[in-house]
């Protein structure tokens, strides 16, 4: 906070705007951009991991494992995202607290009391005494899990398709050279599938970026929450009264999302170029021809 | 994957045992002057000042939690926090899900606000915040109910012509009306509608002990006049008093 901003009611024009844009509330707004980027940075690898697990399970020779992989991909993809986003965090939270209650609480006390879900103080997660940031981090953690489960299912389908797209002849040749199935996967299948998986994964990344406003549904204070909160008309109860400015805030968010997707598009183009080199795909063939 | 599960398990089981009870109080943070986020980004308002004083009198340690209005009751029931102080009117419908302490405000008058004093509130479109007693009231009249997640959006809907009028707590609408330079006016004959039994603190049905503690604290603030002083401070000289 700037010292000149002590009494905003006396300020005008640019000075007022400067003070307005550096108010504590706006700093929280700016920080929430970090929350969104953090969520993306954590969710993408976790979702990819889920997807990888799902794809490998779907291809597994062990029947029950194959069923699990198939059920996971088809079930999660078939249910509206928002239902998962509402269900997973609540279910996880109550599940954790239920388990903790079994360990820490008096076993005689009922957990379900009519409508209420009550565990003893020691089993609360996070504890009631924990700092607010712990509660927020925990909320974000649940959000990451929910996102990863949903996007993992889509990624799993993309990777499954990509693995099937790798020419069978190559895998059989590797086998003929005496590689074990695990070696075939690690040395031939996985390095080659990326070029087929990339378009699908790039698509998913774009959708993931666009899905981050769902954080707001999960109670995490993201940029959409703050834009709505800051943009709404403010009466003199606030230090900086102003009319309805939501349109400007939402415009700012729009620019942010466009920049994010535009930037990712460029990065994906470079990765695509590198992955296509030397591949027997159309893109790889085109590169070979221009190189001659 | 294994590491992730391990991390989850550690997070789930570590956090210590046997800590003292802290009461977590939820509010919406978007309903001035009852509760709002001030320009420092902190929670502020009538209910925050009142809640802190009640906790002091009941010798409880309290922290504030912000929660969306829409999910504020479900999250109380699933024990994410222990009380609700969010301008919530005591009503029979809500009493089915949660308990309330004694009211800490007298029944607050509601009011219709519009761009013209003769707005059609019987057959027109009326905006109200979701899950409020005002929304239920509008649904019972002949008007078409237009619901919004926050109170602020209901006023914006009247300003941009989406709704003919907005129906909400009068104390919430009054500052917007006063500062609109005559753009917004009360609907004639409907500027004071009595609804509900007053605003109370919501607690879980299984939490009778906490409710009693707060009831005692509220009563002591009513008795020594501090509650009336607080009402006057936040709602102006004309505030309804106990």
């Amino acid at each position: 906070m700037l010292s000149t901003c002590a009494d905003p009611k006396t300020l005008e024009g640019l000075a007022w705007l400067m003070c307005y844009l550096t108010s504590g509330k706006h700093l929280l707004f700016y920080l929430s951009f970090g929350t969104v980027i953090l969520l993306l940075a954590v969710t993408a690898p976790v979702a990819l991991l889920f997807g990888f697990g799902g794809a490998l399970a779907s291809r597994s020779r062990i029947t029950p494992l194959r069923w699990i992989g198939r059920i996971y991909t088809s079930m999660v993809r078939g249910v509206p995202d928002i239902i998962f986003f509402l269900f997973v965090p609540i279910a996880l939270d109550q599940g954790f607290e239920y388990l903790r209650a079994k360990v820490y609480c008096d076993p005689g006390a009922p957990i379900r009391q009519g409508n209420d879900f009550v565990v003893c103080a020691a089993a609360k997660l996070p504890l009631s005494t924990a700092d607010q940031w712990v509660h927020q981090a925990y909320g974000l953690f649940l959000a990451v899990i929910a996102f990863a489960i949903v996007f993992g299912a889509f990624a799993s389908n993309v990777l499954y398709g990509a693995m099937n797209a790798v020419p069978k002849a190559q895998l059989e040749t590797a086998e003929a050279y005496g590689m074990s199935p695990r070696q075939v996967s690690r040395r031939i299948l996985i390095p080659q599938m990326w070029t087929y998986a990339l378009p699908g994964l790039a698509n998913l990344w774009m959708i993931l970026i666009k899905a981050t406003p769902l954080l707001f549904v999960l109670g995490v204070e993201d940029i959409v929450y703050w834009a709505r909160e800051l943009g709404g008309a403010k009466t003199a109860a606030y230090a900086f009264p102003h009319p309805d400015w939501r349109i400007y805030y939402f415009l700012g968010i729009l620019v942010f999302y466009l920049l994010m997707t535009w930037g990712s598009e460029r990065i994906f183009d470079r990765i695509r170029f590198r992955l296509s080199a030397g591949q027997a795909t159309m893109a790889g063939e085109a590169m070979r021809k221009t190189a001659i | 994957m294994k590491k992730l599960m391990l991390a989850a398990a550690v997070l789930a089981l570590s956090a210590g045992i046997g800590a003292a009870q802290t009461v977590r109080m939820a509010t919406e943070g978007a309903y001035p002057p009852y509760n709002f986020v001030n320009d420092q980004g902190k929670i502020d308002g009538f209910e925050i000042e009142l809640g802190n004083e009640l906790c002091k009198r009941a010798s409880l340690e309290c922290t504030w939690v912000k929660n969306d209005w829409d999910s504020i009751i479900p999250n109380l029931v699933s024990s994410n926090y222990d009380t609700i102080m969010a301008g919530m009117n005591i009503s029979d419908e809500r009493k089915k899900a949660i308990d309330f302490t004694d009211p800490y405000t007298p029944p607050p008058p509601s009011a219709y606000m519009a761009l013209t004093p003769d707005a059609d509130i019987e057959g027109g479109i009326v905006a109200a915040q979701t899950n409020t007693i005002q929304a239920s009231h509008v649904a019972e009249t002949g008007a078409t109910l237009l619901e919004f997640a926050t109170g602020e959006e209901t006023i914006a809907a009247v300003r941009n012509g989406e709704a003919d009028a907005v129906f909400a707590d009068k104390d919430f609408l009054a500052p917007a009306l006063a500062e609109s330079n005559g753009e917004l006016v009360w609907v004639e004959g409907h500027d004071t509608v009595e609804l509900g039994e007053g605003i109370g603190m919501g607690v879980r049905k299984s939490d009778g002990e906490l409710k009693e503690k707060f009831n005692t604290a509220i009563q002591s603030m009513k008795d020594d006049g501090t509650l009336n002083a607080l009402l006057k401070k936040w709602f102006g000289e004309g505030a309804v008093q106990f």
Side-chain angles (χ1 to χ4, degrees), chain A residues 75-89 146 149-150 218:
Chain A
M75 198 180 87
V76 175
R77 287 188 311 141
V79 175
D81 292 358
I82 189 123
I83 291 179
F84 261 93
F85 289 131
L86 292 175
F87 169 77
V88 171
I149 288 178
V150 171
L218 299 179

Side-chain angles (χ1 to χ4, degrees), chain B residues 110-184:
Chain B
S110 303
Y112 282 94
M113 186 171 78
L115 296 177
T116 53
D118 59 348
D120 182 11
I121 59 158
E122 298 292 326
I125 300 169
V126 178
Q129 191 176 5
T130 343
N131 294 333
T132 56
I133 54 167
Q134 285 89 5
S136 328
H137 179 82
V138 172
E140 282 163 18
T141 66
T144 308
L145 172 63
L146 190 58
E147 289 183 301
F148 288 93
T150 65
E152 202 280 314
E153 286 167 299
T154 60
I155 301 178
V158 171
R159 281 211 166 99
N160 63 28
E162 221 178 315
D164 296 322
V166 45
F167 189 44
D169 282 324
K170 194 172 181 180
D171 289 321
F172 169 70
L173 295 176
L177 182 126
E179 289 166 35
S180 68
N181 295 323
E183 186 199 1
L184 296 166

